[in-house]
Amino acid sequence: MKGNLPPKKLSLMEKGNMELKMPPDKVSCSRLPVLGLGAKRKLDKENAPEPKKKRIRGPGTAVTTAGSRPRVSTVATMPRAKKQEAAQKAPLKTGPWHTTAATTDVKSRKPISAVSAPKPVSGVSPTTARKGPSKRPAWDVKGQLCDLRKEFSACQVQTEALTKENRELKSQFGQAEQQAKTLEAENKVLIGELTEIRAQAKQDQLELGKLSARVQEQEERLHTQEGLIQSIQEERLHLQEERRNLAARLEVQEAQLQESMAALAKSQAEITTQAALLAERTEHLHGLEMERRYLHNQLQELKGNIRVFCRVRPALPGEPTPPPGLILFPPGPNGASEPSTRLSLTRPPEDRCSIIGGLPGPPVRYDFSFDRVFLPGSKQNEVFEEVSLLVQSALDGYPVCIFAYGQTGSGKTFTMEGGPGGDPQVEGLIPRAVRHLFSVARKLEAQGWSYTFVASYVEIYNETIRDLLACVGGAQKCQGVEYEIRLAGPGSKELIVTNAQYVPVSCEEEVESLLHLARQNRAVARTTQNEQSSRSHSVFQLQISGKHMGQNLHCAAPLNLVDLAGSERLDSGLSTGPGDRERLKETQAINSSLSTLGLVIMALSNKESHVPYRNSKLTYLLQNSLRGSAKMLMFVNISPLEENFSESLNSLRFASKVNQCVIGTARANKK
Ligand code: ADP
Ligand code: MG
């Protein structure tokens, strides 16, 4: 719609409310002079003295306006530019003579009769016409008629003119109405447009509001972003500074690295030299180790492949104090400073009286000499010190067998396993030996040796083998299980007990838990079978095998720690009831196995062709640890009590025989 409007109208619209708020008459006046009331009033005043003129004004104002502006109809229909021109020219025609001039002009322009309305067309007003000839006498009816005719015709002419003028005015009025309608329509359109424009303006206002809000928001964001940029720039500066510092540090570090590389290269060269030296020394060390083993073995052999240590336990609290002189420890040839090797047992006089039943004779003294004699006050560590070198031989590949021989209560278990309560001070040979072996094995690892240890713990009671490492209560559960001594495999010389537990161990704690398990199993067996542990031999065996990968060497040997059954003889006063028969059988079995052990040692000592290993389970199981290059140590445990004198004497006699059985050079040296 806006697009269809002529440019002038658009400019009018653009003027906005100002122009639209003007009174409608003014607006109309500017466009339609004929409708202006102001003009009408003005004209009324001007023409007031002429009542006739006033009377003849019909459609009125148009005529009056036409009088003041003779060319108004032309102006109304002429283009806008010409209208303006006419408007400029119009004042020139105003003045006192204006009416006349207008009249004249109307007269000269006949067709525009509307303008000439104030005066009769004939140019002579009826008044003037009546005034002209003198008043006819009453009789002059003809003359009067003539005058009346003239006047009538003049009136007719005038009527015609007026009718014509009226028509024209009507036509003009129609045009004006049409124009008014057009203008009204135009006005409506303009109002519509204005409403639209207002709505648009409102919308624009809203849009503007939104846009300004967005602008504000964007400005805030911009502000934030600026802040961010500023902080980033600051951080960048900080990072640049840091980078510079790091670069400087890097430079320093690189220099250091270069130095270190140079030092490293130097060190590597040195390491290579050292490695060569180390290899050479390792080789040398290995040679020395092998030499040590050889010499160690030589020493052990010189000391005797079968050695006997005597240990006298102290009197326990609650036991009678032994009479002085019952057991004496004479000093050696080098005095009391050197370790004791001798022991004298003196039979009390009354004891002898009872034997011969006669007069009291002089006391009889029995002297014994062993590889070492431990006095009652000797500590466990002192005992082990003497044994440790022998234990070392097991690592070097020599079978080692340590026995504890003696009557029940003489201290065999104390020597082998230790005292009660788990006190480390009273730890026995077994825990000390394994700890020593593990420690030496770890040291030998540095020379290329690697060792493995496998433990087993069995009990031989009445020539029957039981596994002490079976689970707790295993003695009951495994009652049907047969434990037989067999070769470990075809072609193997190693002997094992079938169905027994062979447990790999690598530390003392593991061995300790095995000893604990064995103790528990022994306790259970004691209560269920009313059996004394002292009536059985218990054999703790540690299979040691070592490898030297570099030298392709291999060594394997068992270490046996045997707590023998009580060596006491059968009580002569024992009755022959069913329980006693069992006890008799038990004692015979013990005596038989102990005497077999003695016979085996003697046969080995005498290098007899037949060694009666098979005569007892104990010697049969231990045969590999007794023959050849095996090392054997026997502890003969003695009770200090007077009441145990006979048993002590028996034990010492047995041990003495064993001691004489020492094989090889050691024996010669001993003598
Ligand atoms: P066995 O095993 O020969 O029957 P034990 O080793 O059981 O004898 O010893 C019997 C008692 O004597 C135990 O109470 C033990 O603690 C104690 N005993 C043995 N030898 C010693 C010793 N050298 N020092 C202290 N007490 C000992
Ligand atoms: Mg015991």
Side-chain angles (χ1 to χ4, degrees), residues 412-413 533-534 563:
K412 299 186 292 297
T413 306
S533 66
S534 60
D563 186 352

Side-chain angles (χ1 to χ4, degrees), residues 311 313-314 316 407-414:
R311 186 176 193 187
R313 78 160 169 85
L316 300 174
Q407 71 173 111
T408 300
S410 60
K412 299 186 292 297
T413 306
F414 184 89

Side-chain angles (χ1 to χ4, degrees), residues 86-126:
Q88 285 169 354
K89 284 175 183 175
L92 294 174
K93 290 179 181 179
T94 56
W97 45 270
H98 171 237
T99 311
T100 319
T103 311
T104 315
D105 195 29
V106 168
K107 276 182 188 170
S108 63
R109 291 169 173 252
K110 265 282 180 180
I112 312 168
S113 55
V115 182
S116 60
K119 284 191 179 177
V121 178
S122 59
V124 184
S125 71

